[in-house]
């Protein structure tokens, strides 16, 4: 979402950080470019102006121009200012749902994703906070809107209010309130009707429902691709109904993320969650400092560790850890790791969260190193027999031909995979020997939260500067050094990944 803005800003800061000393003129020129970048990203003019003024006041002081790394100091000031623009009051993910049954009212224009977001949020409250949730659709206008919520409810295992034809939204809200009280629910969510534009009817209907339900939280669902008009929508709803937070949907799209920056600054309402896809678990808490880090290409290690925790299954990881400590690493382990990478958002998703790696993602893509490669590797492993997977040493020419044909690939592709497996096996042995695998055990424990460190502690243990330096070294001079097998274009990769490459 913030790709364009991120690219523009990192270009500006690259020039700044290369200079030894900074004059006020340098800072002014850089900030002029920052302002243009913000405006191009669809941030509203007053917000961009205030932002640049705030940064300029802090960045032209003696402290910056005399500091050891003035360029990085400016980057830090811009980062802090971004966090400030994005931050709301309190914890974004904590909804006020303390006195059951707590009503949550979902409002917004038609097509912004209210019904899907209602279900995503219900799933989150059920699974993460152990709440009993009841969902009710008050949309009597859109065909099959109520049925859509009922189907989503079935998918995620959350109760929905039975549909009674011909009822008006206020009556449905009253019935939901009664049902939630009698059924012992902690939260009931009211999904209101939307319109194509803000009209008096829509506002009056939502206000009537609000008066009946007296919601603890009123969440405004806004399409992240709307751009500047999203701010007007938010202001209007807030004036007439009173909004406690915003949910931005379609943030996985290629729109220009500026609406997110303007929204918080203009309305003063916190952005609570962002929708990042169509699946029911594609909803994330909006963490301002992490988002600011991603915009400035500083990565988001905490999110990467959290993703790993969600996708790694504890028993599997423990079994794998024991094998690695012994130095055993077969094709089944490799497949598990490749599938793990895909679950965590594939190569691009993981690289975007690693400090300094954001810029390299494009180079990696151009070199043919994408998620299809991972899927092909998995296909090759699945083409092997159980015996071959457990003991790849037995693979001779005839077996290799059969495996490659079974996966629709060449024998050379299989050889690359085997080479990668050998390199990774050697690496695992080394790690296993280091302090009898204590380091590995600690890391694995952290990954699936069994008495190990939290994602924040683990992220703190990974030095972002060191990671960024390594990334820079790899991408030095805009070209990836070293020609490794199967990677056309002389692209180098970290040890253990040299078997990846374009399919001939």
């Amino acid at each position: 979402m913030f790709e364009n803005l991120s690219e523009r800003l990192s270009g500006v800061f690259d020039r700044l950080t290369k200079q030894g000393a900074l004059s006020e003129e340098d800072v002014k020129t850089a900030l002029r470019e920052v302002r243009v970048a913000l405006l191009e990203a669809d941030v509203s003019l007053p917000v961009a102006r205030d932002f640049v003024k705030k940064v300029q006041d802090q960045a032209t002081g003696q402290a910056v121009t005399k500091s050891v790394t003035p360029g990085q100091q400016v980057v830090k000031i811009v980062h802090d200012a971004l966090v400030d623009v994005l931050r709301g009051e309190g914890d974004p993910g904590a909804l006020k749902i303390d006195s059951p049954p707590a009503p949550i009212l979902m409002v917004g224009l038609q097509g912004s994703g209210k019904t899907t977001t209602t279900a995503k949020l219900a799933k989150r409250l059920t699974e993460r906070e152990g709440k009993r949730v009841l969902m009710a659709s008050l949309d009597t206008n859109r065909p099959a809107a109520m049925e859509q919520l009922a189907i989503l409810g079935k998918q995620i295992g959350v109760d929905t209010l039975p549909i009674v034809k011909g009822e008006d939204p206020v009556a449905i809200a009253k019935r939901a309130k009664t049902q939630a009280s009698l059924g012992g629910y902690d939260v009931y969510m009211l999904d209101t009707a939307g319109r194509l534009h803000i009209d008096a009817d829509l506002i009056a209907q939502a206000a009537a429902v609000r008066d009946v339900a007296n919601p603890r939280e009123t969440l405004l669902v806004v399409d992240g691709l709307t751009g500047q008009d999203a701010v007007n929508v938010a202001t209007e709803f807030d004036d007439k109904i009173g909004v406690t937070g915003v949910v931005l949907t379609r943030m996985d799209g290629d729109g220009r993320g500026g609406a997110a920056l303007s929204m918080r600054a203009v309305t003063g309402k916190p952005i609570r969650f962002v929708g990042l896809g169509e699946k029911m678990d594609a909803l994330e808490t909006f963490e301002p400092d992490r988002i600011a880090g991603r915009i400035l290409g500083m990565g988001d290690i905490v999110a990467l560790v959290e993703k790993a925790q969600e996708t790694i299954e504890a028993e599997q990881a423990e079994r794998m850890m024991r094998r690695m400590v012994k130095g055993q690493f077969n094709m089944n382990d490799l497949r598990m790791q490749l599938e793990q990478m895909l679950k965590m958002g594939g190569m691009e998703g993981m690289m975007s969260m690693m400090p300094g790696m954001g810029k390299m993602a494009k180079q990696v893509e151009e070199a043919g190193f994408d998620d299809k490669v991972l899927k092909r590797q998995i296909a090759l492993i699945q083409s092997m027999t159980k015996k071959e997977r457990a003991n790849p040493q037995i693979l001779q020419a005839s077996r290799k031909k059969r495996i490659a044909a079974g996966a629709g690939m060449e024998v050379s592709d299989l050889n690359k995979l085997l080479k990668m497996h050998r390199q990774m096996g050697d690496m695992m042995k080394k790690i296993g020997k280091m302090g009898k695998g204590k380091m590995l055990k600690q890391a694995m424990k952290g990954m699936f939260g069994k008495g190990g460190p939290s994602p924040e502690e683990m992220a703190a243990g990974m030095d972002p500067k060191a990671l960024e330096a390594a990334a820079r070294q790899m991408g030095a001079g805009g070209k990836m050094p070293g020609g490794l097998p199967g990677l056309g274009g002389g692209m180098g990769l970290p040890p253990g990944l040299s078997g990846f490459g374009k399919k001939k």
Side-chain angles (χ1 to χ4, degrees):
M1 187 75 182
F2 295 109
E3 208 171 285
N4 297 341
L5 180 59
S6 185
E7 272 176 28
R8 286 293 301 263
L9 292 181
S10 58
V12 175
F13 295 137
D14 275 355
R15 287 197 289 281
L16 272 187
T17 44
K18 279 179 188 142
Q19 295 180 14
L22 284 187
S23 65
E24 291 201 11
E25 204 47 51
D26 291 334
V27 176
K28 269 189 184 149
T29 312
L31 288 181
R32 201 173 299 126
E33 288 190 45
V34 168
R35 191 171 88 172
V36 174
L38 288 173
L39 293 174
E40 278 186 2
D42 225 0
V43 177
S44 67
L45 184 61
V47 177
R49 211 178 268 149
D50 292 350
F51 179 82
V52 170
K53 186 177 183 309
K54 188 173 171 187
V55 173
Q56 193 158 357
D57 293 346
Q58 293 177 337
T60 48
Q62 288 290 320
V64 172
T65 43
K66 292 259 163 61
S67 73
V68 191
T69 51
Q72 277 170 354
Q73 200 74 12
V74 174
V75 176
K76 186 186 180 315
I77 291 170
V78 172
H79 177 265
D80 294 346
L82 264 179
V83 172
D84 209 41
V85 168
L86 292 168
R87 175 162 285 144
E89 298 302 311
D91 175 7
L95 297 168
K96 294 192 205 79
I97 42 176
D98 36 15
S99 49
I104 296 179
L105 185 65
M106 308 292 281
V107 295
L109 300 182
Q110 193 174 340
S112 58
K114 278 189 305 301
T115 306
T116 311
T117 304
T118 304
K120 284 180 182 177
L121 198 51
K123 179 178 164 51
R124 188 188 175 95
L125 289 172
T126 309
E127 290 177 3
R128 294 207 186 177
E129 299 182 32
K131 302 285 183 196
R132 278 200 70 206
V133 182
L134 175 72
M135 300 190 294
S137 172
L138 312 187
D139 193 345
T140 51
N141 305 325
R142 182 164 67 91
M146 295 179 164
E147 286 80 356
Q148 182 191 351
L149 194 66
I151 289 167
L152 289 173
K154 272 202 195 96
Q155 274 177 19
I156 58 172
V158 171
D159 297 341
T160 47
L161 190 72
I163 300 169
V164 175
K165 295 287 177 197
E167 251 187 336
D168 70 321
V170 175
I172 301 172
K174 284 179 181 164
R175 188 158 59 90
K177 191 174 183 177
T178 316
Q179 173 106 1
S181 306
L182 297 174
Y185 290 95
D186 299 309
V187 178
Y188 65 100
M189 303 182 68
L190 303 173
D191 175 27
T192 61
R195 296 281 193 286
L196 287 175
H197 57 92
I198 296 177
D199 57 11
D201 279 358
L202 167 62
I203 296 288
Q205 194 186 78
V209 171
R210 176 203 61 197
D211 297 340
V212 168
N214 199 6
R216 304 277 291 141
E217 292 276 2
T218 304
L219 297 179
L220 172 66
V221 182
V222 178
D223 184 343
L225 304 178
T226 317
Q228 285 303 299
D229 196 48
V231 180
N232 305 335
V233 172
T235 316
E236 183 77 13
F237 268 103
D238 191 32
D239 290 347
K240 302 288 193 320
I241 296 168
V243 171
T244 58
V246 177
V247 181
L248 281 175
T249 59
R250 299 201 210 171
M251 290 296 278
D252 54 329
D254 52 4
R256 302 173 182 165
L261 294 170
S262 318
M263 180 89 67
R264 164 73 200 94
V266 175
T267 61
K269 301 295 171 202
I271 297 168
R272 287 299 182 71
F273 300 99
V274 286
L276 297 168
E278 293 175 16
K279 295 212 169 81
M280 285 294 112
D281 50 5
L283 186 76
E284 272 185 22
T285 319
F286 187 83
E287 304 277 0
D289 24 9
R290 297 197 205 165
I291 298 277
R294 277 195 217 182
I295 292 176
L296 297 180
M298 294 173 178
D300 184 355
I301 302 175
V302 183
L304 189 62
V305 175
E306 275 177 359
K307 255 209 160 79
Q309 276 190 349
E310 278 170 27
T311 55
I312 288 182
E313 285 174 26
E315 286 162 27
Q316 258 187 343
E318 207 157 343
R319 200 165 55 239
M320 195 161 160
M321 179 179 76
R322 282 199 295 272
R323 292 174 54 73
M324 282 182 193
V325 172
K326 287 180 191 163
Q328 298 168 336
F329 182 74
N330 63 23
M331 283 295 179
N332 291 320
D333 300 319
L334 178 59
R335 185 181 69 181
M336 204 171 108
Q337 288 205 348
L338 294 170
E339 283 169 350
Q340 177 69 25
M341 281 166 84
L342 281 174
K343 275 188 203 161
M344 285 170 68
M347 280 313 296
E348 207 177 320
M350 285 171 70
M351 286 182 98
S352 67
M353 294 182 196
M354 299 280 282
M357 288 286 219
K359 290 180 225 164
M360 281 173 55
K362 274 214 169 62
Q363 292 166 281
V364 168
E365 208 176 310
E366 281 160 19
F369 183 57
D370 58 8
D371 294 347
K372 281 186 192 150
V373 176
L374 300 180
K375 286 174 185 160
R376 287 188 194 123
Q377 307 276 28
I378 293 168
L380 276 169
I381 297 173
Q382 283 170 336
S383 188
M384 296 175 188
T385 63
K386 274 187 183 171
K387 193 176 171 186
E388 287 165 347
R389 273 181 233 166
N391 187 11
Q393 287 80 10
I394 63 171
L395 295 180
Q396 82 283 46
S398 60
R399 283 179 188 260
K400 283 183 182 177
K401 270 185 193 161
R402 190 204 78 243
I403 293 165
M409 314 264 290
E410 304 291 330
V411 174
S412 58
D413 295 312
L414 178 59
N415 287 336
K416 284 174 208 162
L417 177 72
L418 292 169
K419 181 177 179 183
M420 182 174 88
H421 170 259
R422 273 198 306 277
Q423 288 175 331
M424 286 178 83
D426 294 344
M427 203 163 68
M428 296 304 170
K429 273 181 195 153
K430 277 180 197 160
I431 294 176
K433 281 175 191 163
M434 282 164 71
K436 294 268 188 286
K438 269 184 196 163
M439 205 175 79
L440 186 71
K441 277 183 185 162
Q442 191 62 15
M444 289 296 236
K445 268 185 183 171
M447 282 298 194
F448 51 83
K450 265 195 181 176
S454 69
E456 281 78 6
E457 285 166 341
M458 283 191 72
M462 303 181 204
D463 179 7
K465 284 202 172 60
L467 284 169
E468 196 161 350
R472 277 214 188 99
Q473 213 174 344
M474 277 174 67
K479 237 188 134 188
M480 298 201 161
L484 285 165
L487 271 174
M491 170 183 155
L493 280 172
L497 288 181
S498 59
F500 284 112
K502 275 186 180 165
K503 183 176 183 302
K504 299 281 183 295

